[in-house]
Amino acid sequence: MSGVSKRGNLRRMKAQFPRERGDGGQFERQPDAFRERVSDAAGAAHPVVAGRYRLFISLACPWACRTLIVRQLMGLEKVISLGIVNPFRDERGWGFGEPPGSAKDEETGFRFLSEAYRRNDPGYAERVTVPVLWDGARERVVNNSEDDICEMLAREFRRLAEHPVELFPRERVREQGKLAGAIYEKVNNGVYRAGFATSQVEYERACGELFAELDRLEARLEGARFLQGGEICEADWRLFCTLIRFDAVYHGHFKCNLRRILDYPNLHGYMLDLYQQPGIAGTVDLAQIKRHYYTTHTDINPSGIIPLGPTLDLDAASGRAG
């Protein structure tokens, strides 16, 4: 423990999401509510059809932006339409327009994404999250799990993709699953476990696990361009969506400040390499990212002040093998 008194350890700050706080002050993310699937199988409730589905995202959210990246990489822009919510989320949840709820989503007429959730469950009372894959024909949410959505876009919609890529290589499925699990728990969700912890003990535990995993990933990338060698897989984009937000948000706002990604030569170069892949820069909006975190999490940043920095040169040479 880092010199904090026992009395200090017992203090509890107000939880950003009280229903997702454990007894020890740890952040316990709610499970995804809707897990139906789009499928090419005969008689599927949600068949693979161009123009039927809409992907709702926030450009601020790392989970949602991973689905946006897969849609972009596969060339599914003409197959699955896109709805983008306002980066600021208040007590009504994600909304459309500025301010949220002042405009309607052009395709569905929703003012708030919660309206989509309540088409499935009129009594839904949990936190409304992005991404959401919406079935316009049945007028219901298919799925709100970013893992499921990425897999469906990469596999089920593959025959409709303009330029499909292999993000889930079958010969590496076991290795990728193990790698993705560690990245999710220690890094993707790890920054949230640190940032939303309401006790010193849980914050230090999450932060320690986060940086231990970043250290392992730094070492892994010493001899490889990407996580599984020379080809980009889904686990790379899973990691990228946290890395690209790290120095701008998680380092300060979530107190993940032992090191910056800039301080990791391999991870920083790897992040730049991925950012500079065709079409990816357009999925990253640091202004919206900073606005969302610093103005929405009022229990962490009650002033709502958005910091000016840091200055990030995302177009710098990555130093990775071409």
Side-chain angles (χ1 to χ4, degrees):
M1 197 66 67
S2 60
V4 179
S5 70
K6 290 184 178 180
R7 179 175 296 179
N9 286 335
L10 294 175
R11 291 207 309 263
R12 295 286 187 271
M13 63 175 280
K14 183 180 178 183
Q16 182 67 37
F17 302 118
R19 294 164 73 101
E20 296 172 70
R21 184 183 72 178
D23 293 339
Q26 69 273 30
F27 173 61
E28 296 179 346
R29 185 175 295 278
Q30 69 180 30
D32 297 315
F34 308 114
R35 302 291 296 271
E36 296 180 30
R37 297 188 64 85
V38 176
S39 173
D40 244 347
H46 305 286
V48 178
V49 177
R52 175 166 172 159
Y53 300 96
R54 189 163 179 79
L55 179 63
F56 288 108
I57 68 155
S58 162
L59 287 170
C61 173
W63 319 101
C65 281
R66 178 150 52 94
T67 66
L68 177 63
I69 287 171
V70 174
R71 174 180 175 267
Q72 171 77 21
L73 292 172
M74 297 292 292
L76 292 169
E77 296 94 327
K78 296 177 182 178
V79 175
I80 300 169
S81 65
L82 186 68
I84 302 176
V85 296
N86 189 290
F88 175 74
R89 186 188 63 224
D90 60 17
E91 68 280 358
R92 298 168 296 177
W94 298 104
F96 299 91
E98 178 73 40
S102 63
K104 293 182 179 180
D105 174 62
E106 60 185 17
E107 193 168 298
T108 62
F110 296 145
R111 290 188 182 274
F112 289 93
L113 195 56
S114 58
E115 297 170 51
Y117 274 58
R118 292 184 182 122
R119 293 290 180 91
N120 287 46
D121 179 2
Y124 186 83
E126 303 304 315
R127 186 162 56 92
V128 173
T129 63
V130 285
V132 165
L133 187 63
W134 171 259
D135 183 339
R138 295 190 63 194
E139 295 193 333
R140 63 182 286 117
V141 173
V142 179
N143 202 295
N144 73 328
S145 164
E146 69 283 352
D147 289 346
D148 291 354
I149 294 172
C150 285
E151 184 183 0
M152 286 186 284
L153 297 185
R155 289 179 171 167
E156 301 299 335
F157 285 91
R158 189 176 186 84
R159 66 176 175 80
L160 300 180
E162 286 190 3
H163 37 77
V165 294
E166 183 55 76
L167 296 175
F168 297 91
R170 296 191 183 278
E171 67 275 12
R172 296 179 177 175
V173 63
R174 182 174 298 180
E175 180 190 0
Q176 173 143 307
K178 183 178 180 180
L179 182 60
I183 291 171
Y184 167 78
E185 183 61 30
K186 304 295 178 60
V187 181
N188 300 147
N189 200 41
V191 294
Y192 287 88
R193 288 170 53 229
F196 291 155
T198 56
S199 74
Q200 186 73 31
V201 169
E202 291 301 329
Y203 158 72
E204 292 192 15
R205 177 180 289 116
C207 201
E209 291 176 355
L210 164 65
F211 281 96
E213 185 63 21
L214 289 177
D215 291 346
R216 281 191 287 271
L217 292 166
E218 172 74 5
R220 184 185 183 105
L221 289 166
E222 179 65 36
R225 184 175 179 184
F226 304 115
L227 290 176
Q228 290 191 298
E231 300 296 327
I232 304 174
C233 64
E234 191 272 346
D236 291 296
W237 297 117
R238 176 186 294 270
L239 179 57
F240 169 79
C241 288
T242 296
L243 297 184
I244 200 69
R245 290 161 173 76
F246 199 97
D247 290 0
V249 172
Y250 303 141
H251 181 270
H253 184 58
F254 279 174
K255 307 178 186 69
C256 299
N257 58 5
L258 289 179
R259 288 175 288 284
R260 302 165 299 170
I261 299 306
L262 187 61
D263 300 322
Y264 287 100
N266 295 326
L267 279 170
H268 183 250
Y270 162 85
M271 180 191 75
L272 294 178
D273 193 0
L274 290 171
Y275 175 82
Q276 293 164 16
Q277 295 294 315
I280 300 305
T283 70
V284 178
D285 189 324
L286 285 174
Q288 288 206 31
I289 289 167
K290 289 168 66 175
R291 183 184 173 206
H292 166 70
Y293 283 94
Y294 284 103
T295 63
T296 297
H297 302 151
T298 53
D299 290 315
I300 297 174
N301 186 40
S303 71
I305 291 174
I306 304 170
L308 292 175
T311 299
L312 302 173
D313 185 2
L314 298 177
D315 294 316
S318 70
R320 310 298 286 177

